[in-house]
mmCIF file of all heavy atoms in Angstrom:
data_model
loop_
_atom_site.group_PDB
_atom_site.id
_atom_site.type_symbol
_atom_site.label_atom_id
_atom_site.label_comp_id
_atom_site.label_asym_id
_atom_site.label_seq_id
_atom_site.Cartn_x
_atom_site.Cartn_y
_atom_site.Cartn_z
ATOM 1 N N GLU A 185 29.981 -53.216 11.870
ATOM 2 C CA GLU A 185 29.520 -54.490 11.326
ATOM 3 C C GLU A 185 28.842 -55.333 12.405
ATOM 4 O O GLU A 185 29.410 -55.574 13.467
ATOM 5 C CB GLU A 185 30.684 -55.274 10.719
ATOM 6 C CG GLU A 185 30.219 -56.528 10.008
ATOM 7 C CD GLU A 185 31.364 -57.406 9.529
ATOM 8 O OE1 GLU A 185 32.376 -57.503 10.250
ATOM 9 O OE2 GLU A 185 31.242 -58.003 8.445
ATOM 10 N N LEU A 186 27.638 -55.816 12.077
ATOM 11 C CA LEU A 186 26.783 -56.424 13.084
ATOM 12 C C LEU A 186 26.089 -57.667 12.525
ATOM 13 O O LEU A 186 25.717 -57.713 11.351
ATOM 14 C CB LEU A 186 25.717 -55.391 13.479
ATOM 15 C CG LEU A 186 24.951 -55.566 14.770
ATOM 16 C CD1 LEU A 186 25.894 -55.420 15.966
ATOM 17 C CD2 LEU A 186 23.844 -54.511 14.850
ATOM 18 N N HIS A 187 25.900 -58.671 13.360
ATOM 19 C CA HIS A 187 25.115 -59.855 13.041
ATOM 20 C C HIS A 187 23.871 -59.827 13.923
ATOM 21 O O HIS A 187 23.975 -59.659 15.142
ATOM 22 C CB HIS A 187 25.955 -61.109 13.309
ATOM 23 C CG HIS A 187 25.309 -62.405 12.953
ATOM 24 N ND1 HIS A 187 24.477 -63.085 13.811
ATOM 25 C CD2 HIS A 187 25.379 -63.161 11.827
ATOM 26 C CE1 HIS A 187 24.064 -64.214 13.237
ATOM 27 N NE2 HIS A 187 24.605 -64.281 12.035
ATOM 28 N N VAL A 188 22.694 -59.970 13.329
ATOM 29 C CA VAL A 188 21.440 -59.812 14.070
ATOM 30 C C VAL A 188 21.427 -60.672 15.327
ATOM 31 O O VAL A 188 21.108 -60.193 16.429
ATOM 32 C CB VAL A 188 20.236 -60.157 13.166
ATOM 33 C CG1 VAL A 188 18.951 -60.247 13.990
ATOM 34 C CG2 VAL A 188 20.084 -59.133 12.053
ATOM 35 N N ARG A 189 21.767 -61.919 15.171
ATOM 36 C CA ARG A 189 21.689 -62.850 16.310
ATOM 37 C C ARG A 189 22.785 -62.567 17.326
ATOM 38 O O ARG A 189 22.517 -62.548 18.544
ATOM 39 C CB ARG A 189 21.783 -64.281 15.787
ATOM 40 C CG ARG A 189 21.697 -65.356 16.835
ATOM 41 C CD ARG A 189 21.282 -66.659 16.186
ATOM 42 N NE ARG A 189 21.658 -67.839 16.954
ATOM 43 C CZ ARG A 189 21.311 -69.074 16.630
ATOM 44 N NH1 ARG A 189 20.591 -69.277 15.542
ATOM 45 N NH2 ARG A 189 21.678 -70.106 17.380
ATOM 46 N N ASP A 190 24.006 -62.342 16.850
ATOM 47 C CA ASP A 190 25.112 -62.053 17.772
ATOM 48 C C ASP A 190 24.775 -60.882 18.690
ATOM 49 O O ASP A 190 25.110 -60.879 19.876
ATOM 50 C CB ASP A 190 26.383 -61.691 16.999
ATOM 51 C CG ASP A 190 26.954 -62.846 16.209
ATOM 52 O OD1 ASP A 190 26.401 -63.954 16.271
ATOM 53 O OD2 ASP A 190 27.966 -62.619 15.507
ATOM 54 N N ALA A 191 24.141 -59.864 18.111
ATOM 55 C CA ALA A 191 23.938 -58.607 18.828
ATOM 56 C C ALA A 191 22.947 -58.728 19.972
ATOM 57 O O ALA A 191 23.001 -57.943 20.927
ATOM 58 C CB ALA A 191 23.469 -57.535 17.850
ATOM 59 N N THR A 192 22.038 -59.708 19.895
ATOM 60 C CA THR A 192 20.921 -59.707 20.839
ATOM 61 C C THR A 192 20.731 -61.022 21.589
ATOM 62 O O THR A 192 19.819 -61.128 22.412
ATOM 63 C CB THR A 192 19.616 -59.398 20.077
ATOM 64 O OG1 THR A 192 19.409 -60.410 19.075
ATOM 65 C CG2 THR A 192 19.674 -58.039 19.403
ATOM 66 N N ILE A 193 21.562 -62.024 21.339
ATOM 67 C CA ILE A 193 21.280 -63.363 21.858
ATOM 68 C C ILE A 193 21.657 -63.540 23.328
ATOM 69 O O ILE A 193 21.040 -64.346 24.044
ATOM 70 C CB ILE A 193 21.992 -64.435 20.990
ATOM 71 C CG1 ILE A 193 21.396 -65.836 21.237
ATOM 72 C CG2 ILE A 193 23.490 -64.439 21.242
ATOM 73 C CD1 ILE A 193 19.991 -65.989 20.730
ATOM 74 N N GLN A 194 22.647 -62.794 23.807
ATOM 75 C CA GLN A 194 23.108 -63.031 25.186
ATOM 76 C C GLN A 194 22.093 -62.491 26.198
ATOM 77 O O GLN A 194 21.644 -61.351 26.110
ATOM 78 C CB GLN A 194 24.468 -62.377 25.424
ATOM 79 C CG GLN A 194 25.109 -62.827 26.731
ATOM 80 C CD GLN A 194 26.387 -62.082 27.041
ATOM 81 O OE1 GLN A 194 26.396 -60.853 27.089
ATOM 82 N NE2 GLN A 194 27.474 -62.813 27.235
ATOM 83 N N LYS A 195 21.766 -63.295 27.156
ATOM 84 C CA LYS A 195 20.770 -62.924 28.166
ATOM 85 C C LYS A 195 21.199 -61.688 28.947
ATOM 86 O O LYS A 195 20.363 -60.858 29.331
ATOM 87 C CB LYS A 195 20.543 -64.101 29.111
ATOM 88 C CG LYS A 195 19.378 -63.916 30.063
ATOM 89 C CD LYS A 195 19.127 -65.183 30.877
ATOM 90 C CE LYS A 195 17.926 -65.003 31.804
ATOM 91 N NZ LYS A 195 17.676 -66.247 32.595
ATOM 92 N N ALA A 196 22.507 -61.539 29.164
ATOM 93 C CA ALA A 196 23.015 -60.406 29.946
ATOM 94 C C ALA A 196 22.720 -59.069 29.283
ATOM 95 O O ALA A 196 22.808 -58.021 29.934
ATOM 96 C CB ALA A 196 24.521 -60.552 30.163
ATOM 97 N N GLY A 197 22.360 -59.090 27.987
ATOM 98 C CA GLY A 197 22.058 -57.837 27.297
ATOM 99 C C GLY A 197 20.727 -57.233 27.666
ATOM 100 O O GLY A 197 20.442 -56.082 27.291
ATOM 101 N N GLY A 198 19.889 -57.981 28.391
ATOM 102 C CA GLY A 198 18.609 -57.433 28.822
ATOM 103 C C GLY A 198 17.634 -57.206 27.685
ATOM 104 O O GLY A 198 16.721 -56.367 27.792
ATOM 105 N N ILE A 199 17.798 -57.937 26.602
ATOM 106 C CA ILE A 199 16.952 -57.776 25.421
ATOM 107 C C ILE A 199 15.897 -58.881 25.427
ATOM 108 O O ILE A 199 16.213 -60.056 25.645
ATOM 109 C CB ILE A 199 17.812 -57.829 24.140
ATOM 110 C CG1 ILE A 199 18.761 -56.620 24.113
ATOM 111 C CG2 ILE A 199 16.959 -57.867 22.883
ATOM 112 C CD1 ILE A 199 19.853 -56.707 23.066
ATOM 113 N N ASP A 200 14.652 -58.515 25.172
ATOM 114 C CA ASP A 200 13.556 -59.486 25.231
ATOM 115 C C ASP A 200 13.558 -60.425 24.028
ATOM 116 O O ASP A 200 13.452 -61.639 24.186
ATOM 117 C CB ASP A 200 12.213 -58.761 25.314
ATOM 118 C CG ASP A 200 12.034 -58.035 26.641
ATOM 119 O OD1 ASP A 200 12.604 -58.492 27.649
ATOM 120 O OD2 ASP A 200 11.340 -56.999 26.661
ATOM 121 N N HIS A 201 13.644 -59.854 22.827
ATOM 122 C CA HIS A 201 13.572 -60.666 21.605
ATOM 123 C C HIS A 201 14.993 -61.079 21.199
ATOM 124 O O HIS A 201 15.559 -60.575 20.233
ATOM 125 C CB HIS A 201 12.888 -59.886 20.487
ATOM 126 C CG HIS A 201 11.460 -59.541 20.779
ATOM 127 N ND1 HIS A 201 11.099 -58.337 21.353
ATOM 128 C CD2 HIS A 201 10.313 -60.247 20.600
ATOM 129 C CE1 HIS A 201 9.788 -58.306 21.502
ATOM 130 N NE2 HIS A 201 9.280 -59.452 21.052
ATOM 131 N N ARG A 202 15.530 -62.018 21.952
ATOM 132 C CA ARG A 202 16.930 -62.386 21.745
ATOM 133 C C ARG A 202 17.113 -63.155 20.442
ATOM 134 O O ARG A 202 16.365 -64.077 20.135
ATOM 135 C CB ARG A 202 17.442 -63.198 22.934
ATOM 136 C CG ARG A 202 17.508 -62.368 24.213
ATOM 137 C CD ARG A 202 18.281 -63.045 25.307
ATOM 138 N NE ARG A 202 17.573 -64.198 25.843
ATOM 139 C CZ ARG A 202 18.105 -65.415 25.979
ATOM 140 N NH1 ARG A 202 19.358 -65.628 25.604
ATOM 141 N NH2 ARG A 202 17.401 -66.398 26.492
ATOM 142 N N GLY A 203 18.097 -62.747 19.646
ATOM 143 C CA GLY A 203 18.399 -63.405 18.386
ATOM 144 C C GLY A 203 17.448 -63.061 17.260
ATOM 145 O O GLY A 203 17.478 -63.721 16.216
ATOM 146 N N LYS A 204 16.640 -62.026 17.427
ATOM 147 C CA LYS A 204 15.601 -61.703 16.460
ATOM 148 C C LYS A 204 15.759 -60.281 15.914
ATOM 149 O O LYS A 204 16.406 -59.436 16.516
ATOM 150 C CB LYS A 204 14.208 -61.839 17.104
ATOM 151 C CG LYS A 204 13.955 -63.185 17.762
ATOM 152 C CD LYS A 204 14.025 -64.349 16.771
ATOM 153 C CE LYS A 204 13.750 -65.685 17.432
ATOM 154 N NZ LYS A 204 13.917 -66.823 16.495
ATOM 155 N N TYR A 205 15.080 -60.053 14.772
ATOM 156 C CA TYR A 205 15.035 -58.687 14.237
ATOM 157 C C TYR A 205 14.523 -57.721 15.302
ATOM 158 O O TYR A 205 15.071 -56.620 15.478
ATOM 159 C CB TYR A 205 14.087 -58.612 13.039
ATOM 160 C CG TYR A 205 14.476 -59.422 11.829
ATOM 161 C CD1 TYR A 205 13.652 -60.452 11.377
ATOM 162 C CD2 TYR A 205 15.636 -59.147 11.113
ATOM 163 C CE1 TYR A 205 13.985 -61.198 10.252
ATOM 164 C CE2 TYR A 205 15.977 -59.889 9.989
ATOM 165 C CZ TYR A 205 15.149 -60.922 9.555
ATOM 166 O OH TYR A 205 15.485 -61.649 8.447
ATOM 167 N N LEU A 206 13.472 -58.125 16.006
ATOM 168 C CA LEU A 206 12.854 -57.224 16.979
ATOM 169 C C LEU A 206 13.779 -56.897 18.140
ATOM 170 O O LEU A 206 13.585 -55.878 18.815
ATOM 171 C CB LEU A 206 11.545 -57.829 17.500
ATOM 172 C CG LEU A 206 10.401 -57.945 16.478
ATOM 173 C CD1 LEU A 206 9.137 -58.468 17.154
ATOM 174 C CD2 LEU A 206 10.125 -56.605 15.810
ATOM 175 N N GLY A 207 14.768 -57.751 18.391
ATOM 176 C CA GLY A 207 15.726 -57.435 19.441
ATOM 177 C C GLY A 207 16.470 -56.141 19.166
ATOM 178 O O GLY A 207 16.881 -55.434 20.104
ATOM 179 N N LEU A 208 16.650 -55.833 17.882
ATOM 180 C CA LEU A 208 17.344 -54.601 17.509
ATOM 181 C C LEU A 208 16.392 -53.431 17.316
ATOM 182 O O LEU A 208 16.780 -52.385 16.801
ATOM 183 C CB LEU A 208 18.173 -54.834 16.245
ATOM 184 C CG LEU A 208 19.460 -55.634 16.487
ATOM 185 C CD1 LEU A 208 20.092 -56.079 15.175
ATOM 186 C CD2 LEU A 208 20.467 -54.818 17.305
ATOM 187 N N THR A 209 15.136 -53.603 17.732
ATOM 188 C CA THR A 209 14.209 -52.468 17.770
ATOM 189 C C THR A 209 14.020 -51.963 19.193
ATOM 190 O O THR A 209 13.478 -50.875 19.404
ATOM 191 C CB THR A 209 12.829 -52.854 17.210
ATOM 192 O OG1 THR A 209 12.181 -53.772 18.109
ATOM 193 C CG2 THR A 209 12.946 -53.489 15.827
ATOM 194 N N GLU A 210 14.435 -52.760 20.160
ATOM 195 C CA GLU A 210 14.218 -52.403 21.564
ATOM 196 C C GLU A 210 15.157 -51.279 21.990
ATOM 197 O O GLU A 210 16.350 -51.306 21.685
ATOM 198 C CB GLU A 210 14.424 -53.628 22.453
ATOM 199 C CG GLU A 210 13.455 -54.773 22.160
ATOM 200 C CD GLU A 210 13.760 -56.018 22.984
ATOM 201 O OE1 GLU A 210 14.206 -55.857 24.147
ATOM 202 O OE2 GLU A 210 13.572 -57.132 22.467
ATOM 203 N N THR A 211 14.614 -50.316 22.688
ATOM 204 C CA THR A 211 15.417 -49.187 23.167
ATOM 205 C C THR A 211 15.561 -49.258 24.685
ATOM 206 O O THR A 211 14.806 -49.943 25.370
ATOM 207 C CB THR A 211 14.763 -47.849 22.774
ATOM 208 O OG1 THR A 211 13.419 -47.813 23.262
ATOM 209 C CG2 THR A 211 14.737 -47.694 21.250
ATOM 210 N N ASN A 212 16.573 -48.565 25.168
ATOM 211 C CA ASN A 212 16.843 -48.469 26.608
ATOM 212 C C ASN A 212 17.107 -49.834 27.248
ATOM 213 O O ASN A 212 16.817 -50.050 28.425
ATOM 214 C CB ASN A 212 15.687 -47.760 27.333
ATOM 215 C CG ASN A 212 15.448 -46.368 26.786
ATOM 216 O OD1 ASN A 212 16.393 -45.616 26.545
ATOM 217 N ND2 ASN A 212 14.187 -46.024 26.561
ATOM 218 N N THR A 213 17.665 -50.752 26.464
ATOM 219 C CA THR A 213 18.063 -52.037 27.040
ATOM 220 C C THR A 213 19.407 -51.862 27.748
ATOM 221 O O THR A 213 20.227 -51.021 27.362
ATOM 222 C CB THR A 213 18.173 -53.119 25.962
ATOM 223 O OG1 THR A 213 19.119 -52.700 24.966
ATOM 224 C CG2 THR A 213 16.829 -53.356 25.296
ATOM 225 N N ALA A 214 19.649 -52.682 28.758
ATOM 226 C CA ALA A 214 20.869 -52.507 29.558
ATOM 227 C C ALA A 214 21.193 -53.783 30.312
ATOM 228 O O ALA A 214 20.350 -54.671 30.477
ATOM 229 C CB ALA A 214 20.680 -51.348 30.550
ATOM 230 N N THR A 215 22.429 -53.856 30.772
ATOM 231 C CA THR A 215 22.832 -54.932 31.667
ATOM 232 C C THR A 215 22.215 -54.687 33.040
ATOM 233 O O THR A 215 21.610 -53.636 33.300
ATOM 234 C CB THR A 215 24.359 -54.983 31.797
ATOM 235 O OG1 THR A 215 24.805 -53.769 32.432
ATOM 236 C CG2 THR A 215 25.029 -55.110 30.443
ATOM 237 N N LYS A 216 22.373 -55.646 33.937
ATOM 238 C CA LYS A 216 21.808 -55.485 35.282
ATOM 239 C C LYS A 216 22.374 -54.268 35.996
ATOM 240 O O LYS A 216 21.726 -53.677 36.866
ATOM 241 C CB LYS A 216 22.072 -56.750 36.103
ATOM 242 C CG LYS A 216 21.223 -57.937 35.681
ATOM 243 C CD LYS A 216 21.475 -59.138 36.580
ATOM 244 C CE LYS A 216 20.591 -60.315 36.179
ATOM 245 N NZ LYS A 216 20.828 -61.507 37.044
ATOM 246 N N ASN A 217 23.594 -53.884 35.634
ATOM 247 C CA ASN A 217 24.230 -52.731 36.275
ATOM 248 C C ASN A 217 23.998 -51.429 35.514
ATOM 249 O O ASN A 217 24.626 -50.416 35.808
ATOM 250 C CB ASN A 217 25.726 -52.976 36.437
ATOM 251 C CG ASN A 217 26.008 -54.089 37.429
ATOM 252 O OD1 ASN A 217 25.340 -54.200 38.458
ATOM 253 N ND2 ASN A 217 26.978 -54.931 37.117
ATOM 254 N N GLY A 218 23.108 -51.472 34.520
ATOM 255 C CA GLY A 218 22.694 -50.244 33.865
ATOM 256 C C GLY A 218 23.533 -49.803 32.687
ATOM 257 O O GLY A 218 23.380 -48.669 32.208
ATOM 258 N N PHE A 219 24.398 -50.654 32.173
ATOM 259 C CA PHE A 219 25.201 -50.297 31.002
ATOM 260 C C PHE A 219 24.401 -50.625 29.731
ATOM 261 O O PHE A 219 23.892 -51.732 29.574
ATOM 262 C CB PHE A 219 26.534 -51.047 31.009
ATOM 263 C CG PHE A 219 27.492 -50.563 32.060
ATOM 264 C CD1 PHE A 219 27.403 -51.021 33.367
ATOM 265 C CD2 PHE A 219 28.486 -49.643 31.739
ATOM 266 C CE1 PHE A 219 28.289 -50.575 34.342
ATOM 267 C CE2 PHE A 219 29.375 -49.189 32.701
ATOM 268 C CZ PHE A 219 29.272 -49.648 34.008
ATOM 269 N N SER A 220 24.330 -49.666 28.836
ATOM 270 C CA SER A 220 23.488 -49.789 27.643
ATOM 271 C C SER A 220 23.908 -50.971 26.782
ATOM 272 O O SER A 220 25.083 -51.347 26.718
ATOM 273 C CB SER A 220 23.554 -48.503 26.821
ATOM 274 O OG SER A 220 24.884 -48.244 26.403
ATOM 275 N N THR A 221 22.927 -51.555 26.098
ATOM 276 C CA THR A 221 23.163 -52.669 25.190
ATOM 277 C C THR A 221 22.343 -52.459 23.922
ATOM 278 O O THR A 221 21.553 -51.519 23.817
ATOM 279 C CB THR A 221 22.752 -54.010 25.838
ATOM 280 O OG1 THR A 221 21.335 -53.989 26.077
ATOM 281 C CG2 THR A 221 23.476 -54.253 27.145
ATOM 282 N N GLY A 222 22.541 -53.346 22.954
ATOM 283 C CA GLY A 222 21.704 -53.361 21.766
ATOM 284 C C GLY A 222 21.692 -52.052 21.001
ATOM 285 O O GLY A 222 22.711 -51.360 20.876
ATOM 286 N N LEU A 223 20.514 -51.710 20.490
ATOM 287 C CA LEU A 223 20.356 -50.516 19.674
ATOM 288 C C LEU A 223 20.782 -49.259 20.419
ATOM 289 O O LEU A 223 21.439 -48.378 19.847
ATOM 290 C CB LEU A 223 18.901 -50.395 19.212
ATOM 291 C CG LEU A 223 18.530 -49.140 18.418
ATOM 292 C CD1 LEU A 223 19.326 -49.056 17.125
ATOM 293 C CD2 LEU A 223 17.028 -49.140 18.117
ATOM 294 N N SER A 224 20.434 -49.161 21.683
ATOM 295 C CA SER A 224 20.787 -47.960 22.461
ATOM 296 C C SER A 224 22.296 -47.805 22.565
ATOM 297 O O SER A 224 22.832 -46.695 22.453
ATOM 298 C CB SER A 224 20.163 -48.036 23.858
ATOM 299 O OG SER A 224 18.753 -48.005 23.774
ATOM 300 N N TYR A 225 22.988 -48.907 22.774
ATOM 301 C CA TYR A 225 24.454 -48.847 22.850
ATOM 302 C C TYR A 225 25.047 -48.400 21.519
ATOM 303 O O TYR A 225 25.949 -47.544 21.477
ATOM 304 C CB TYR A 225 25.024 -50.204 23.247
ATOM 305 C CG TYR A 225 26.519 -50.278 23.072
ATOM 306 C CD1 TYR A 225 27.382 -49.719 24.016
ATOM 307 C CD2 TYR A 225 27.076 -50.857 21.937
ATOM 308 C CE1 TYR A 225 28.753 -49.744 23.839
ATOM 309 C CE2 TYR A 225 28.446 -50.895 21.754
ATOM 310 C CZ TYR A 225 29.287 -50.331 22.705
ATOM 311 O OH TYR A 225 30.648 -50.354 22.519
ATOM 312 N N ILE A 226 24.566 -48.979 20.426
ATOM 313 C CA ILE A 226 25.108 -48.633 19.110
ATOM 314 C C ILE A 226 24.901 -47.149 18.828
ATOM 315 O O ILE A 226 25.796 -46.473 18.300
ATOM 316 C CB ILE A 226 24.454 -49.506 18.024
ATOM 317 C CG1 ILE A 226 24.783 -50.988 18.270
ATOM 318 C CG2 ILE A 226 24.931 -49.097 16.637
ATOM 319 C CD1 ILE A 226 23.952 -51.944 17.433
ATOM 320 N N LYS A 227 23.747 -46.638 19.174
ATOM 321 C CA LYS A 227 23.484 -45.210 18.976
ATOM 322 C C LYS A 227 24.440 -44.358 19.811
ATOM 323 O O LYS A 227 25.009 -43.375 19.323
ATOM 324 C CB LYS A 227 22.038 -44.880 19.336
ATOM 325 C CG LYS A 227 21.678 -43.405 19.162
ATOM 326 C CD LYS A 227 20.211 -43.155 19.430
ATOM 327 C CE LYS A 227 19.893 -41.670 19.394
ATOM 328 N NZ LYS A 227 20.196 -41.045 18.089
ATOM 329 N N GLU A 228 24.648 -44.743 21.073
ATOM 330 C CA GLU A 228 25.549 -43.993 21.954
ATOM 331 C C GLU A 228 26.985 -44.009 21.438
ATOM 332 O O GLU A 228 27.704 -43.020 21.565
ATOM 333 C CB GLU A 228 25.515 -44.587 23.364
ATOM 334 C CG GLU A 228 24.240 -44.323 24.126
ATOM 335 C CD GLU A 228 24.217 -45.072 25.453
ATOM 336 O OE1 GLU A 228 25.282 -45.611 25.848
ATOM 337 O OE2 GLU A 228 23.148 -45.124 26.089
ATOM 338 N N LEU A 229 27.392 -45.119 20.848
ATOM 339 C CA LEU A 229 28.768 -45.232 20.354
ATOM 340 C C LEU A 229 29.047 -44.179 19.289
ATOM 341 O O LEU A 229 30.150 -43.629 19.232
ATOM 342 C CB LEU A 229 29.002 -46.635 19.808
ATOM 343 C CG LEU A 229 30.434 -46.998 19.422
ATOM 344 C CD1 LEU A 229 31.362 -46.967 20.642
ATOM 345 C CD2 LEU A 229 30.475 -48.375 18.753
ATOM 346 N N GLY A 230 28.068 -43.927 18.438
ATOM 347 C CA GLY A 230 28.203 -42.822 17.498
ATOM 348 C C GLY A 230 28.454 -43.196 16.051
ATOM 349 O O GLY A 230 28.617 -42.296 15.210
#
């Protein structure tokens, strides 16, 4: 269960379109230390 804005709004997520539909289209997003975020993280989770 996901909320569009919740998923992408935090700056630490490394997502450009924060709080937007397009934020959940971005791939290979990550924290500064390289941990996956956003769509890529959800896909990895399974």
Side-chain angles (χ1 to χ4, degrees):
E185 186 186 37
L186 198 66
H187 183 274
V188 170
R189 181 159 157 175
D190 293 358
T192 60
I193 197 68
Q194 192 186 55
K195 189 174 182 180
I199 295 168
D200 292 331
H201 297 93
R202 293 193 290 129
K204 306 299 181 184
Y205 296 118
L206 293 184
L208 285 168
T209 69
E210 299 175 34
T211 55
N212 302 316
T213 58
T215 65
K216 287 183 178 180
N217 293 321
F219 289 83
S220 60
T221 64
L223 176 61
S224 295
Y225 168 79
I226 298 168
K227 180 176 174 60
E228 288 174 11
L229 188 63

